[in-house]
Structures are given as structure tokens and as C-alpha cells.
Short mmCIF file of all heavy atoms in Angstrom, two decimals:
data_model
loop_
_atom_site.label_atom_id
_atom_site.label_comp_id
_atom_site.label_asym_id
_atom_site.label_seq_id
_atom_site.Cartn_x
_atom_site.Cartn_y
_atom_site.Cartn_z
N GLY N 18 26.53 18.89 -9.56
CA GLY N 18 27.46 19.96 -9.87
C GLY N 18 27.33 21.11 -8.90
O GLY N 18 26.71 20.99 -7.84
N LEU N 19 27.92 22.22 -9.28
CA LEU N 19 27.91 23.44 -8.47
C LEU N 19 26.97 24.45 -9.11
O LEU N 19 27.06 24.71 -10.33
CB LEU N 19 29.32 24.01 -8.38
CG LEU N 19 29.48 25.38 -7.72
CD1 LEU N 19 29.07 25.32 -6.26
CD2 LEU N 19 30.92 25.87 -7.86
N VAL N 20 26.10 25.02 -8.31
CA VAL N 20 25.13 25.99 -8.83
C VAL N 20 24.90 27.05 -7.76
O VAL N 20 25.05 26.79 -6.56
CB VAL N 20 23.82 25.29 -9.22
CG1 VAL N 20 23.13 24.70 -8.00
CG2 VAL N 20 22.90 26.20 -9.99
N GLN N 21 24.55 28.23 -8.19
CA GLN N 21 24.23 29.29 -7.24
C GLN N 21 22.81 29.11 -6.70
O GLN N 21 21.95 28.49 -7.35
CB GLN N 21 24.34 30.65 -7.91
CG GLN N 21 25.76 31.09 -8.19
CD GLN N 21 25.84 32.52 -8.69
OE1 GLN N 21 24.93 33.02 -9.34
NE2 GLN N 21 26.95 33.19 -8.38
N ALA N 22 22.59 29.65 -5.54
CA ALA N 22 21.25 29.61 -4.94
C ALA N 22 20.24 30.20 -5.91
O ALA N 22 20.50 31.23 -6.55
CB ALA N 22 21.24 30.36 -3.62
N GLY N 23 19.11 29.53 -6.02
CA GLY N 23 18.08 29.94 -6.96
C GLY N 23 18.18 29.26 -8.30
O GLY N 23 17.26 29.37 -9.12
N GLY N 24 19.28 28.59 -8.54
CA GLY N 24 19.49 27.93 -9.81
C GLY N 24 18.86 26.55 -9.87
O GLY N 24 18.12 26.14 -8.95
N SER N 25 19.16 25.85 -10.96
CA SER N 25 18.55 24.54 -11.21
C SER N 25 19.59 23.53 -11.65
O SER N 25 20.61 23.88 -12.23
CB SER N 25 17.49 24.67 -12.31
OG SER N 25 16.47 25.57 -11.94
N LEU N 26 19.30 22.29 -11.36
CA LEU N 26 20.06 21.15 -11.84
C LEU N 26 19.08 20.04 -12.14
O LEU N 26 17.98 20.00 -11.57
CB LEU N 26 21.08 20.67 -10.81
CG LEU N 26 22.34 21.48 -10.58
CD1 LEU N 26 23.12 20.90 -9.39
CD2 LEU N 26 23.22 21.49 -11.81
N ARG N 27 19.48 19.10 -12.99
CA ARG N 27 18.66 17.92 -13.21
C ARG N 27 19.53 16.68 -13.01
O ARG N 27 20.52 16.48 -13.72
CB ARG N 27 18.05 17.89 -14.61
CG ARG N 27 17.05 16.73 -14.75
CD ARG N 27 16.40 16.67 -16.11
NE ARG N 27 17.24 15.99 -17.09
CZ ARG N 27 16.76 15.35 -18.16
NH1 ARG N 27 15.47 15.30 -18.38
NH2 ARG N 27 17.59 14.78 -19.02
N LEU N 28 19.14 15.87 -12.06
CA LEU N 28 19.82 14.61 -11.82
C LEU N 28 19.16 13.51 -12.63
O LEU N 28 17.95 13.52 -12.84
CB LEU N 28 19.78 14.24 -10.34
CG LEU N 28 20.34 15.27 -9.36
CD1 LEU N 28 20.31 14.70 -7.93
CD2 LEU N 28 21.74 15.69 -9.74
N SER N 29 19.99 12.56 -13.05
CA SER N 29 19.50 11.38 -13.76
C SER N 29 20.02 10.14 -13.07
O SER N 29 21.13 10.15 -12.51
CB SER N 29 19.96 11.38 -15.22
OG SER N 29 19.47 12.50 -15.91
N CYS N 30 19.24 9.10 -13.14
CA CYS N 30 19.63 7.82 -12.55
C CYS N 30 19.27 6.73 -13.54
O CYS N 30 18.09 6.50 -13.81
CB CYS N 30 18.92 7.60 -11.23
SG CYS N 30 19.14 5.94 -10.55
N ALA N 31 20.28 6.06 -14.06
CA ALA N 31 20.06 5.00 -15.04
C ALA N 31 20.32 3.65 -14.40
O ALA N 31 21.37 3.43 -13.79
CB ALA N 31 20.98 5.20 -16.23
N ALA N 32 19.36 2.78 -14.54
CA ALA N 32 19.49 1.42 -14.02
C ALA N 32 19.70 0.46 -15.18
O ALA N 32 19.11 0.62 -16.24
CB ALA N 32 18.25 1.03 -13.23
N SER N 33 20.55 -0.53 -14.96
CA SER N 33 20.82 -1.51 -16.00
C SER N 33 21.04 -2.88 -15.36
O SER N 33 21.22 -2.99 -14.16
CB SER N 33 22.03 -1.11 -16.84
OG SER N 33 23.19 -1.02 -16.02
N GLY N 34 21.03 -3.89 -16.20
CA GLY N 34 21.24 -5.25 -15.70
C GLY N 34 19.94 -6.03 -15.66
O GLY N 34 19.00 -5.74 -16.39
N SER N 35 19.89 -6.99 -14.77
CA SER N 35 18.74 -7.90 -14.68
C SER N 35 17.62 -7.26 -13.87
O SER N 35 17.34 -7.65 -12.74
CB SER N 35 19.17 -9.22 -14.05
OG SER N 35 20.23 -9.80 -14.80
N ILE N 36 16.97 -6.27 -14.46
CA ILE N 36 15.97 -5.50 -13.73
C ILE N 36 14.60 -6.18 -13.76
O ILE N 36 13.87 -6.17 -12.77
CB ILE N 36 15.86 -4.08 -14.31
CG1 ILE N 36 17.18 -3.35 -14.17
CG2 ILE N 36 14.75 -3.29 -13.62
CD1 ILE N 36 17.24 -2.03 -14.88
N GLY N 37 14.24 -6.76 -14.86
CA GLY N 37 12.94 -7.39 -14.96
C GLY N 37 11.85 -6.35 -15.09
O GLY N 37 11.95 -5.42 -15.86
N SER N 38 10.82 -6.48 -14.28
CA SER N 38 9.69 -5.54 -14.37
C SER N 38 10.08 -4.19 -13.78
O SER N 38 11.12 -4.03 -13.15
CB SER N 38 8.49 -6.11 -13.61
OG SER N 38 8.82 -6.31 -12.24
N ILE N 39 9.21 -3.21 -13.97
CA ILE N 39 9.46 -1.86 -13.47
C ILE N 39 9.52 -1.88 -11.95
O ILE N 39 8.66 -2.48 -11.29
CB ILE N 39 8.36 -0.92 -13.96
CG1 ILE N 39 8.35 -0.87 -15.48
CG2 ILE N 39 8.56 0.48 -13.38
CD1 ILE N 39 7.15 -0.19 -16.08
N LYS N 40 10.52 -1.22 -11.40
CA LYS N 40 10.75 -1.23 -9.96
C LYS N 40 10.60 0.16 -9.36
O LYS N 40 10.84 1.16 -10.02
CB LYS N 40 12.16 -1.74 -9.66
CG LYS N 40 12.43 -3.15 -10.14
CD LYS N 40 11.57 -4.17 -9.44
CE LYS N 40 12.00 -5.60 -9.69
NZ LYS N 40 11.98 -5.97 -11.12
N PRO N 41 10.22 0.21 -8.09
CA PRO N 41 10.21 1.51 -7.40
C PRO N 41 11.63 2.07 -7.34
O PRO N 41 12.60 1.32 -7.13
CB PRO N 41 9.71 1.17 -6.00
CG PRO N 41 9.04 -0.15 -6.14
CD PRO N 41 9.76 -0.87 -7.23
N MET N 42 11.74 3.38 -7.48
CA MET N 42 13.04 4.02 -7.39
C MET N 42 12.90 5.30 -6.57
O MET N 42 11.80 5.84 -6.40
CB MET N 42 13.60 4.33 -8.77
CG MET N 42 13.85 3.08 -9.61
SD MET N 42 14.54 3.38 -11.24
CE MET N 42 16.22 3.87 -10.83
N ALA N 43 14.02 5.75 -6.04
CA ALA N 43 13.97 6.91 -5.16
C ALA N 43 15.29 7.64 -5.15
O ALA N 43 16.33 7.07 -5.49
CB ALA N 43 13.61 6.48 -3.74
N TRP N 44 15.22 8.90 -4.75
CA TRP N 44 16.41 9.71 -4.53
C TRP N 44 16.54 10.00 -3.04
O TRP N 44 15.56 10.36 -2.38
CB TRP N 44 16.31 11.04 -5.28
CG TRP N 44 16.49 10.93 -6.75
CD1 TRP N 44 15.52 10.84 -7.71
CD2 TRP N 44 17.73 10.88 -7.45
NE1 TRP N 44 16.08 10.75 -8.96
CE2 TRP N 44 17.44 10.78 -8.83
CE3 TRP N 44 19.08 10.93 -7.06
CZ2 TRP N 44 18.44 10.72 -9.81
CZ3 TRP N 44 20.06 10.88 -8.02
CH2 TRP N 44 19.75 10.77 -9.38
N TYR N 45 17.75 9.83 -2.55
CA TYR N 45 18.08 10.18 -1.18
C TYR N 45 19.25 11.17 -1.22
O TYR N 45 19.92 11.31 -2.24
CB TYR N 45 18.52 8.94 -0.39
CG TYR N 45 17.41 8.00 -0.02
CD1 TYR N 45 16.81 7.17 -0.97
CD2 TYR N 45 16.95 7.92 1.29
CE1 TYR N 45 15.79 6.31 -0.63
CE2 TYR N 45 15.93 7.04 1.66
CZ TYR N 45 15.36 6.25 0.69
OH TYR N 45 14.35 5.38 1.03
N ARG N 46 19.48 11.81 -0.09
CA ARG N 46 20.65 12.66 0.00
C ARG N 46 21.25 12.57 1.39
O ARG N 46 20.57 12.24 2.36
CB ARG N 46 20.33 14.12 -0.33
CG ARG N 46 19.40 14.81 0.64
CD ARG N 46 19.01 16.19 0.09
NE ARG N 46 18.11 16.91 0.99
CZ ARG N 46 17.51 18.06 0.68
NH1 ARG N 46 17.71 18.62 -0.51
NH2 ARG N 46 16.72 18.65 1.54
N ARG N 47 22.55 12.85 1.44
CA ARG N 47 23.27 12.81 2.71
C ARG N 47 24.22 13.98 2.79
O ARG N 47 24.96 14.25 1.86
CB ARG N 47 24.04 11.50 2.86
CG ARG N 47 24.91 11.45 4.12
CD ARG N 47 25.67 10.16 4.18
NE ARG N 47 24.83 9.05 4.59
CZ ARG N 47 25.16 7.77 4.46
NH1 ARG N 47 26.30 7.45 3.86
NH2 ARG N 47 24.37 6.82 4.88
N THR N 48 24.18 14.65 3.94
CA THR N 48 25.14 15.70 4.22
C THR N 48 26.02 15.23 5.38
O THR N 48 25.60 14.38 6.18
CB THR N 48 24.45 17.02 4.59
OG1 THR N 48 23.54 16.76 5.68
CG2 THR N 48 23.66 17.55 3.40
N PRO N 49 27.25 15.74 5.49
CA PRO N 49 28.15 15.29 6.56
C PRO N 49 27.50 15.45 7.94
O PRO N 49 26.91 16.49 8.25
CB PRO N 49 29.35 16.23 6.40
CG PRO N 49 29.34 16.60 4.97
CD PRO N 49 27.89 16.71 4.60
N GLY N 50 27.59 14.42 8.71
CA GLY N 50 27.06 14.46 10.07
C GLY N 50 25.58 14.18 10.18
O GLY N 50 25.03 14.18 11.29
N LYS N 51 24.93 13.94 9.06
CA LYS N 51 23.50 13.67 9.08
C LYS N 51 23.20 12.32 8.46
O LYS N 51 23.97 11.81 7.65
CB LYS N 51 22.73 14.76 8.33
CG LYS N 51 22.78 16.13 8.99
CD LYS N 51 21.89 17.11 8.24
CE LYS N 51 21.89 18.47 8.90
NZ LYS N 51 21.00 19.43 8.18
N GLN N 52 22.06 11.80 8.81
CA GLN N 52 21.63 10.55 8.20
C GLN N 52 21.14 10.81 6.78
O GLN N 52 20.71 11.90 6.43
CB GLN N 52 20.51 9.92 9.03
CG GLN N 52 20.95 9.35 10.36
CD GLN N 52 19.83 8.60 11.05
OE1 GLN N 52 18.66 8.93 10.90
NE2 GLN N 52 20.17 7.57 11.81
N ARG N 53 21.20 9.75 6.00
CA ARG N 53 20.66 9.85 4.65
C ARG N 53 19.16 10.05 4.75
O ARG N 53 18.48 9.37 5.52
CB ARG N 53 21.00 8.57 3.91
CG ARG N 53 20.68 8.59 2.43
CD ARG N 53 21.44 7.51 1.68
NE ARG N 53 21.39 6.22 2.33
CZ ARG N 53 22.13 5.19 1.97
NH1 ARG N 53 23.00 5.32 0.99
NH2 ARG N 53 22.01 4.03 2.59
N GLU N 54 18.62 10.97 3.96
CA GLU N 54 17.19 11.26 4.02
C GLU N 54 16.56 11.08 2.64
O GLU N 54 17.18 11.32 1.60
CB GLU N 54 16.94 12.69 4.50
CG GLU N 54 17.46 13.78 3.61
CD GLU N 54 16.98 15.17 3.98
OE1 GLU N 54 16.04 15.30 4.78
OE2 GLU N 54 17.56 16.14 3.45
N LEU N 55 15.31 10.67 2.67
CA LEU N 55 14.56 10.52 1.43
C LEU N 55 14.24 11.89 0.86
O LEU N 55 13.75 12.77 1.57
CB LEU N 55 13.26 9.75 1.69
CG LEU N 55 12.33 9.61 0.49
CD1 LEU N 55 12.94 8.72 -0.58
CD2 LEU N 55 10.97 9.06 0.93
N VAL N 56 14.49 12.06 -0.44
CA VAL N 56 14.17 13.30 -1.12
C VAL N 56 12.88 13.13 -1.92
O VAL N 56 11.96 13.93 -1.80
CB VAL N 56 15.32 13.72 -2.05
CG1 VAL N 56 14.93 14.96 -2.85
CG2 VAL N 56 16.60 13.96 -1.26
N ALA N 57 12.84 12.09 -2.74
CA ALA N 57 11.67 11.85 -3.58
C ALA N 57 11.65 10.40 -3.99
O ALA N 57 12.72 9.78 -4.13
CB ALA N 57 11.69 12.75 -4.82
N ALA N 58 10.47 9.87 -4.19
CA ALA N 58 10.33 8.47 -4.59
C ALA N 58 9.24 8.35 -5.64
O ALA N 58 8.30 9.16 -5.68
CB ALA N 58 10.00 7.61 -3.38
N ILE N 59 9.38 7.33 -6.47
CA ILE N 59 8.37 7.07 -7.49
C ILE N 59 8.14 5.57 -7.55
O ILE N 59 9.10 4.78 -7.62
CB ILE N 59 8.80 7.65 -8.86
CG1 ILE N 59 7.67 7.50 -9.88
CG2 ILE N 59 10.10 7.05 -9.36
CD1 ILE N 59 7.86 8.37 -11.12
N SER N 60 6.89 5.18 -7.51
CA SER N 60 6.57 3.76 -7.51
C SER N 60 6.61 3.20 -8.93
O SER N 60 6.75 3.94 -9.90
CB SER N 60 5.17 3.55 -6.92
OG SER N 60 4.19 4.03 -7.83
N SER N 61 6.44 1.90 -9.02
CA SER N 61 6.42 1.28 -10.34
C SER N 61 5.22 1.79 -11.15
O SER N 61 5.27 1.82 -12.37
CB SER N 61 6.36 -0.25 -10.21
OG SER N 61 5.26 -0.63 -9.41
N GLY N 62 4.18 2.21 -10.48
CA GLY N 62 3.00 2.73 -11.15
C GLY N 62 3.02 4.22 -11.39
O GLY N 62 2.08 4.79 -11.93
N GLY N 63 4.11 4.87 -10.97
CA GLY N 63 4.25 6.30 -11.21
C GLY N 63 3.80 7.21 -10.08
O GLY N 63 3.83 8.43 -10.22
N TYR N 64 3.38 6.63 -8.95
CA TYR N 64 3.01 7.46 -7.81
C TYR N 64 4.27 8.05 -7.18
O TYR N 64 5.29 7.37 -7.07
CB TYR N 64 2.22 6.66 -6.78
CG TYR N 64 0.88 6.21 -7.30
CD1 TYR N 64 0.68 4.91 -7.76
CD2 TYR N 64 -0.20 7.09 -7.34
CE1 TYR N 64 -0.54 4.51 -8.25
CE2 TYR N 64 -1.44 6.69 -7.83
CZ TYR N 64 -1.60 5.40 -8.29
OH TYR N 64 -2.82 4.99 -8.77
#
């Protein structure tokens, strides 16, 4: 969404389907003219 500088947001990511065991997941972001960059990642073990 839209927020002013200094504010907060919470993103959620829901996975569904044939997932099986716990999988590593991550957040990336992309701005126009730039490559997609890793923001944060979490392993299946929570690292």
C-alpha cells in the first residue's frame, strides 16, 4: 500500500498447494530500472 515515510506496513505471503515439508521462503523487491534484490529470507528451520 501507500504509507508516509517513517510509517509501517506488514506484508504477508501465503503458500498453498502441494507444498509438502516446510520450505525456505524469501521476500524480494524490484524497482523500475533495477534488478530484483533480496530483502529477507527465512529457512525451513527459521534462520
Side-chain angles (χ1 to χ4, degrees):
L19 172 64
V20 65
Q21 288 187 330
S25 300
L26 285 173
R27 188 179 82 153
L28 303 184
S29 299
C30 171
S33 60
S35 303
I36 299 172
S38 60
I39 298 169
K40 299 296 192 300
M42 297 181 72
W44 286 97
Y45 286 74
R46 65 187 180 188
R47 175 182 283 165
T48 54
K51 294 185 179 181
Q52 288 187 329
R53 188 161 47 190
E54 64 169 347
L55 176 67
V56 175
I59 186 164
S60 72
S61 55
Y64 294 101

